[in-house]
Amino acid sequence: MSSDKYLDQLKREGRIVVVGASLAGLRGAETLRAEGFTGSLTMIGDEPYEPYDRPPLSKQVLLGRATADHTALPRRRAIDAEWRLGVAAAGLDMAARRVRLADGDEVEYDRLLIATGVRARPWPQEDEAELDGVFVLRTRDDAVALERALAQSPRRVLVIGAGFTGSEIASACRERGLSVTVAERGAAPLVGALGGVVGEVAAKMQREAGVDLRTGVMVTALEGDSSGHVRSARLSDGSSVETDVVIVSLGATRNTEWLLGSGLGAGPRGIACDAGCRAFDVRGIVTDDIYVAGDVARSPHALFGYQFLSLEHWGNAVAQAETAAHNMLSESVDRRPHMWVPAFWSSQFGVNIKSVGVPSMGTEILIAQGSREERRFTGVYGYQGRVIGAVTFDQTRWLPFYEQLIETTAPFPPPFPTVDRRPEGNRPLPADFPDPSVPSHGPTVTLSGYSPADRRMTFTPARH
Amino acid sequence: MRLVVDLNRCQGYAQCAFLAPDVFAMHGEEALLYDPQADDSRRDEIARAVAACPVQAIFAEGLDGTDGTPAPAQEATREQ
Ligand SMILES: Cc1cc2nc3c(=O)[nH]c(=O)nc-3n(C[C@H](O)[C@H](O)[C@H](O)COP(=O)(O)OP(=O)(O)OC[C@H]3O[C@@H](n4cnc5c(N)ncnc54)[C@H](O)[C@@H]3O)c2cc1C
Ligand code: SF4
């Protein structure tokens, strides 16, 4: 059969299975229908809920502006799918093109889209993680439980890890008038994603908002009372913090365990795929029927030297899912590369923080506009003489301009004057990123080398 | 009524916050907070916000008619 005939048939009566029914899974499914797929579509998701949006969980929901059950994603179109919610995919048989479910059922596919995302990395000491009052924040259920605990006016909240999510949680707690301690192993909040020059600003923001910020420390133990409720935390500097609520915000783990032994190139770093979102197998050979999108994917990017990037970014999940779905139904010449320029936002302590490109690749930063002191600035990151990323604090309107510089691999430092250049923007500073080999809560962009078959572990939580 | 704002795209112009203040609010100078499931009675206001957003960052279910059902606010969104 000629391949366009096969594609016609696939579009008309094929079977497409999507594993992971969240942002990427939903937007992928909608794109399949939008591109004329009329066959059978199955959505498999281990959460019992229809796809919902996560960013509000650490913002609107914790601020009491919305409830966690009111975050369902708006639908772009009806997808007419069979939903298998509340049941996990437990295995994959690539030869038989079959997904095995945790309840024993099996679902066959002609094309598979994997969008299983990541989960919050739990507190490594299991008995301590099980204490009442110890939370993570990734899911709707997590948000409901955390919000309920915050509503009981705890005497103090401890946030472990000052990445984006941890910082947003601390910010929401302060707005609720709660006492908050933040413990961060790095030198400042957000250092993994934005470097020390910007991290310093984030630290000042936290302290001015009344956060008891402790940097350069690790929490070594959580202690509970006789009823099994957390009461205090011990820190590596010998101090301790009395607390009723602990939020473990130590980054994320990729949901790839269910693929172990399947032969797919999946591991702790995610699932490697080519620029067209097709998954690689363990031998580094690209598959033709399995596609990957969203937080679980690691894909090579032309603008960043074809290194594999893992992006825990909302916009990436949407764009990659659309591309994967399009390519799934297309002839090879009609396929598109996933060339999305990474972009991210966060709002915390009343400031809108946005970035484009890959700041964490940068070795230098230039405060091109505005001033750090005023919390209103644009930082441009340079790598090997070109612009590789940018961050804005309350200056989002300038960001598209810098995105264009990244896309056109413009020289760094930019050889032209910018409006509102201050003395601090006269010359680039070292961007001051922590050594990437030192485990931290993790940046939201992970550069993971050049090998599609790389399954090495990057972080092993301490076991006792 | 479900909605989502693409905050990568949002430029903090605040038009939406003027037109539908119960649904969209600025938090600080340019961060936007919105109600992801606003009351259906806000439909007309939301439609106006969707239409007025200069970067088309707001997506509200059923307002652009892509689900096949003609939406009451379709005209409003088409005007832009
Ligand atoms: C609190 C919070 C705040 C955030 N804020 C921002 C922000 O401000 N800006 C931004 O850009 N991004 C933000 N993000 C990140 C953004 O939400 C993610 O990038 C996005 O959700 C990724 O979508 P995804 O579909 O790839 O993965 P996920 O949303 O992780 O979805 C994966 C789904 O697959 C399910 N699953 C996993 N394993 C299996 C299995 N074996 N079988 C069946 N189902 C399975 C999971 O339970 C989950 O439902 C935030 C995330 C969180 C948690
Ligand atoms: S009108 Fe659009 S750009 Fe302006 S704040 Fe609202 S969503 Fe953002």
Side-chain angles (χ1 to χ4, degrees):
Chain A
M1 199 190 324
S2 86
S3 78
D4 53 335
K5 265 207 191 120
Y6 176 79
L7 269 181
D8 272 352
Q9 200 189 347
L10 174 76
K11 268 187 155 175
R12 242 188 2 261
E13 54 198 38
R15 298 160 303 176
I16 298 183
V17 172
V18 178
V19 182
S22 180
L23 181 62
L26 177 65
R27 294 300 182 234
E30 288 167 342
T31 306
L32 290 170
R33 291 300 190 205
E35 300 220 352
F37 174 65
T38 53
S40 84
L41 184 58
T42 308
M43 304 286 292
I44 301 168
D46 62 358
E47 292 186 77
Y49 311 113
E50 63 171 307
Y52 60 89
D53 207 26
R54 294 179 205 277
L57 300 181
S58 54
K59 306 177 185 76
Q60 291 97 313
V61 172
L62 291 189
L63 289 169
R65 307 267 186 116
T67 54
D69 58 342
H70 278 186
T71 51
L73 282 161
R75 302 295 182 84
R76 290 178 176 171
R77 61 176 55 243
I79 58 168
D80 186 23
E82 185 188 338
W83 294 83
R84 303 290 307 260
L85 296 179
V87 55
L92 170 67
D93 184 337
M94 287 171 66
R97 291 185 166 170
R98 220 163 29 211
V99 174
R100 186 164 43 78
L101 304 188
D103 64 7
D105 260 11
E106 292 186 323
V107 188
E108 291 184 348
Y109 63 83
D110 299 305
R111 292 279 186 278
L112 174 66
L113 175 62
I114 301 180
T116 45
V118 303
R119 62 179 181 278
R121 188 176 284 145
W123 183 245
Q125 274 75 39
E126 271 168 44
D127 50 335
E128 297 175 9
E130 276 164 21
L131 291 169
D132 284 341
V134 178
F135 301 92
V136 293
L137 182 56
R138 179 76 197 173
T139 67
R140 218 180 106 164
D141 290 347
D142 293 340
V144 169
L146 176 58
E147 210 285 324
R148 195 178 299 140
L150 296 182
Q152 282 163 7
S153 308
R155 285 169 306 154
R156 178 167 292 278
V157 175
L158 169 66
V159 179
I160 307 178
F164 283 106
T165 306
S167 299
E168 287 178 5
I169 294 169
S171 168
C173 288
R174 286 305 302 141
E175 282 196 41
R176 298 175 72 129
L178 298 169
S179 303
V180 187
T181 298
V182 172
E184 162 60 41
R185 173 182 187 141
L190 314 183
V191 277
L194 299 175
V197 174
V198 176
E200 211 178 289
V201 185
K204 273 203 190 133
M205 270 164 40
Q206 295 214 358
R207 293 206 166 102
E208 269 167 37
V211 172
D212 166 32
L213 173 66
R214 321 258 186 112
T215 55
V217 296
M218 283 179 354
V219 174
T220 53
L222 301 176
E223 287 159 357
D225 60 17
S226 54
S227 67
H229 198 287
V230 70
R231 289 298 170 216
S232 67
R234 259 189 282 138
L235 271 52
S236 56
D237 61 2
S239 65
S240 68
V241 178
E242 303 282 308
T243 178
D244 308 317
V245 171
V246 173
I247 300 132
V248 179
S249 208
L250 293 172
T253 305
R254 283 159 173 85
N255 290 318
T256 54
E257 291 80 357
W258 67 283
L259 294 164
L260 210 78
S262 66
L264 205 64
R269 294 175 161 203
I271 305 167
C273 61
D274 72 357
C277 312
R278 294 179 300 176
F280 283 105
D281 69 16
V282 282
R283 304 165 299 175
I285 299 175
V286 79
T287 60
D288 241 349
D289 49 356
I290 304 179
Y291 289 72
V292 198
D295 284 11
V296 77
R298 45 186 293 255
S299 58
H301 201 303
L303 280 177
F304 306 99
Y306 288 99
Q307 273 217 61
F308 281 92
L309 297 186
S310 304
L311 302 166
E312 290 172 47
H313 291 172
W314 188 94
N316 179 64
V318 174
Q320 198 167 24
E322 289 169 351
T323 302
H326 168 84
N327 289 350
M328 223 180 233
L329 300 175
S330 300
E331 289 294 353
S332 41
V333 288
D334 298 327
R335 288 184 185 146
R336 295 194 304 246
H338 175 54
M339 283 278 281
W340 190 73
V341 177
F344 181 86
W345 80 88
S346 165
S347 62
Q348 46 185 281
F349 305 101
V351 174
N352 191 25
I353 303 178
K354 290 173 80 166
S355 84
V356 291
V358 183
S360 59
M361 257 177 112
T363 49
E364 293 177 285
I365 183 171
L366 178 76
I367 305 301
Q369 295 174 241
S371 114
R372 282 175 293 162
E373 195 56 40
E374 293 165 20
R375 314 283 144 77
R376 211 179 153 77
F377 66 91
T378 301
V380 186
Y381 294 84
Y383 172 72
Q384 295 185 344
R386 53 174 278 222
V387 175
I388 202 85
V391 63
T392 57
F393 275 47
D394 274 351
Q395 281 201 337
T396 176
R397 276 158 233 191
W398 295 111
L399 214 49
F401 171 71
Y402 291 98
E403 180 174 339
Q404 203 192 320
L405 294 187
I406 297 165
E407 276 176 323
T408 53
T409 66
F412 179 91
F416 46 77
T418 44
V419 296
D420 196 22
R421 180 80 69 99
R422 310 286 181 88
E424 65 186 293
N426 280 345
R427 70 183 64 83
L429 309 164
D432 190 19
F433 281 97
D435 178 353
S437 66
V438 175
S440 74
H441 48 75
T444 53
V445 185
T446 313
L447 294 157
S448 59
Y450 293 97
S451 166
D454 192 343
R455 306 176 69 211
R456 262 179 309 152
M457 193 72 168
T458 49
F459 179 90
T460 318
R463 294 259 156 216
H464 60 158
Chain B
M1 159 171 226
R2 298 173 178 183
L3 58 114
V4 68
V5 179
D6 181 343
L7 291 168
N8 287 318
R9 201 183 272 202
C10 168
Q11 301 283 300
Y13 288 113
Q15 273 90 333
C16 55
F18 286 115
L19 292 166
D22 293 322
V23 181
F24 305 92
M26 303 315 289
H27 197 64
E29 294 204 22
E30 64 168 45
L32 174 68
L33 284 184
Y34 61 92
D35 181 351
Q37 195 167 323
D39 197 87
D40 276 337
S41 64
R42 302 285 171 217
R43 189 183 187 90
D44 291 349
E45 286 159 55
I46 294 171
R48 279 193 285 275
V50 168
C53 173
V55 289
Q56 301 184 334
I58 309 168
F59 175 72
E61 189 170 274
L63 275 191
D64 57 357
T66 44
D67 61 357
T69 53
Q74 210 162 4
E75 268 78 47
T77 43
R78 289 277 157 75
E79 270 167 22
Q80 40 185 331

